[in-house]
Amino acid sequence: MRLYHNPLSSNARRVLLTASQLGIKLDEVIIDFASEADRKRLEEVNICGKVPVLEDDGLHLWESCAIMQYLADKHGASDLYPTGLKERADVNRWMFFGAQHFAPAIGILTWEYLWKKLVTGEGPDPVEIAKGERYVHEHAAVLDKHLATRQWLSGDKLTLADFAVAAPMMYVSRAKVPVDQHPHLLAWAERVQQLPAWQQTETPWPF
């Protein structure tokens, strides 16, 4: 299996975390978005022109959570992705929460603090930063309340939900993501970050 990705993408990090946890060796193709040739190559496997993309025996699968689910199902990882109807629905619920709410909120701040200057040459917009911080607090509060009485997001053990929601927290310090007032969220994030899968998928930042 081949994975097209960029190590600074938290969406790609979700997939890398899953593969590491499952012991899957992927043929990694690093996409440099500053390279026109790399962008063109990516568009050949994903009409959206985004990472990650998994290539497996003629299948080109994009959307990080879909890739995570595919890998878990292909390798029979019912511990990470339960097969019971209600248990799987709960994992899916938190994966969708991460993709729809928590990650986009953090994404506003990563754009303003990390990528905007590189792409446009412009500095952070205080209005956008305030919006991002408001959204982060809103969704972090949900997670913090949910995690007040549990170790993991779904059930009593690590699942794909934890990787899906935790991945964007790789930006917390660099993008000034305001989560300090959410202790249960921070304690959970620390548990995830102590996992070998997290440590094995760390990458040096170029700036």
Side-chain angles (χ1 to χ4, degrees), residues 55-60:
E55 185 178 59
D56 183 30
D57 194 23
L59 171 69
H60 291 100

Side-chain angles (χ1 to χ4, degrees), residues 66-87:
I67 299 172
M68 295 170 73
Q69 293 167 345
Y70 178 82
L71 292 176
D73 278 340
K74 180 170 182 174
H75 289 266
S78 59
D79 52 342
L80 273 185
Y81 195 36
T83 56
L85 181 63
K86 292 181 179 180
E87 292 80 7

Side-chain angles (χ1 to χ4, degrees), residues 23-102:
I24 300 171
K25 178 62 177 176
L26 298 171
D27 178 13
E28 298 182 32
V29 179
I30 306 300
I31 298 296
D32 178 2
F33 284 98
S35 164
E36 183 177 351
D38 277 16
R39 293 197 304 272
K40 183 177 180 180
R41 183 180 189 185
L42 180 61
E43 289 172 359
E44 291 174 353
V45 294
N46 181 4
I47 58 175
C48 298
K50 297 181 178 181
V51 294
V53 184
L54 182 73
E55 185 178 59
D56 183 30
D57 194 23
L59 171 69
H60 291 100
L61 183 62
W62 34 274
E63 293 299 328
S64 58
C65 289
I67 299 172
M68 295 170 73
Q69 293 167 345
Y70 178 82
L71 292 176
D73 278 340
K74 180 170 182 174
H75 289 266
S78 59
D79 52 342
L80 273 185
Y81 195 36
T83 56
L85 181 63
K86 292 181 179 180
E87 292 80 7
R88 177 162 288 200
D90 190 56
V91 171
N92 288 340
R93 179 247 302 277
W94 288 108
M95 295 182 78
F96 292 147
F97 177 88
Q100 183 68 23
H101 300 297
F102 194 52

Side-chain angles (χ1 to χ4, degrees), residues 6 11 13 21 51 59 72 96 105 125-126 139-140 154 161 170 174:
N6 184 289
N11 290 331
R13 184 77 177 274
Q21 184 71 19
V51 294
L59 171 69
F96 292 147
D125 180 342
H139 303 309
S154 182
M170 65 188 277
R174 292 176 178 84

